Amino acid sequence: GENVGLHLPTLSVQEGDNSIINCAYSNSASDYFIWYKQESGKGPQFIIDIRSNMDKRQGQRVTVLLNKTVKHLSLQIAATQPGDSAVYFCADSGTYKYIFGTGTRLKVLA
Amino acid sequence: DSGVTQTPKHLITATGQRVTLRCSPRSGDLSVYWYQQSLDQGLQFLIQYYNGEERAKGNILERFSAQQFPDLHSELNLSSLELGDSALYFCASSFRGSGELFFGEGSRLTVL
């Protein structure tokens, strides 16, 4: 069935370094993926999305890469800042349900 | 501000009780989604409505029910509450049931 999961529950990164958050999915029919950021006590906020006909999409300081062969996507954050500390979720919306993974907590070290 | 409004923000109740959580989607959005998030857990999909009709169902307990009204707001009803139902309940909306989801700030339910 559908499954979107993350490889690492917690990622600690030095301020200024780049962060890479990974996500695996199992539904080969998935055609749309979204990354969300959730700060403590708040609702998830949209970061970036990508459709299955693309391999890469860039936003402001963020890049999402999609590898359909191995059903993997990643979120890259350039020059990580303290404000990037949050939990990051990927979601698969191939079947209306928008299944979210467990999330990766990103900790930015000063 | 995502434009999605959830009420109440906080709710404390006792086991066995029933509560109703309300969600007003962004203006113009036809689809509403409900998610449950337990402490330090992911977002568990409960149910989705599109223009008043149920479209998709996740792991929603039989004690839980939801509906979307003609004005497109939605309510999630939780009954016979148990301690394990304590969680953040998020509502999200989208225009057509695809594309970006816009989340509310959540309703925090505490069952004592």
Side-chain angles (χ1 to χ4, degrees):
Chain A
E2 302 137 6
N3 181 46
V4 177
L6 294 170
H7 295 307
L8 298 172
T10 303
L11 176 65
S12 296
V13 175
Q14 203 69 35
E15 182 179 353
D17 287 351
N18 297 334
S19 303
I20 299 176
I21 301 171
N22 296 302
C23 179
Y25 65 96
S26 62
N27 185 2
S28 57
S30 301
D31 61 2
Y32 181 64
F33 305 88
I34 317 177
W35 280 99
Y36 280 88
K37 173 186 179 182
Q38 186 178 24
E39 296 176 342
S40 181
K42 296 187 176 181
Q45 292 178 293
F46 173 87
I47 301 173
I48 192 168
D49 58 2
I50 187 168
R51 296 202 175 273
S52 59
N53 61 352
M54 303 172 69
D55 296 323
K56 179 179 179 179
R57 189 162 190 223
Q58 287 185 293
Q60 186 176 8
R61 282 202 306 118
V62 295
T63 301
V64 56
L65 299 177
L66 175 63
N67 185 329
K68 295 180 286 293
T69 302
V70 295
K71 290 185 277 189
H72 178 271
L73 70 159
S74 65
L75 176 71
Q76 300 179 3
I77 304 174
T80 309
Q81 302 170 359
D84 295 326
S85 293
V87 177
Y88 290 81
F89 296 95
C90 66
D92 156 16
S93 74
T95 56
Y96 301 135
K97 293 181 181 180
Y98 290 84
I99 303 297
F100 283 75
T102 304
T104 293
R105 183 176 302 278
L106 177 64
K107 293 185 177 180
V108 182
L109 307 173
Chain B
D1 183 5
S2 67
V4 178
T5 303
Q6 289 188 247
T7 57
K9 292 192 187 311
H10 301 277
L11 188 56
I12 302 174
T13 188
T15 54
Q17 295 299 304
R18 171 190 171 94
V19 299
T20 297
L21 309 180
R22 181 187 171 100
C23 170
S24 294
R26 284 191 329 154
S27 177
D29 281 359
L30 301 176
S31 197
V32 169
Y33 304 75
W34 286 98
Y35 286 86
Q36 179 192 55
Q37 185 177 40
S38 300
L39 186 63
D40 289 335
Q41 296 294 313
L43 293 153
Q44 299 297 317
F45 171 74
L46 296 178
I47 199 164
Q48 182 209 358
Y49 284 84
Y50 180 79
N51 204 21
E53 299 292 326
E54 180 184 308
R55 175 179 268 191
K57 213 167 188 176
N59 297 322
I60 186 168
L61 300 173
E62 286 190 8
R63 300 184 286 109
F64 297 181
S65 64
Q67 56 183 325
Q68 185 179 28
F69 295 86
D71 66 353
L72 300 178
H73 91 273
S74 178
E75 293 181 357
L76 178 66
N77 301 297
L78 315 175
S79 62
S80 302
L81 286 167
E82 302 175 358
L83 295 177
D85 297 328
S86 295
L88 264 172
Y89 291 85
F90 285 103
C91 170
S93 73
S94 68
F95 174 53
R96 294 171 300 183
S98 61
E100 181 182 348
L101 294 184
F102 295 86
F103 280 83
E105 292 300 304
S107 292
R108 182 175 293 280
L109 173 65
T110 301
V111 182
L112 301 177

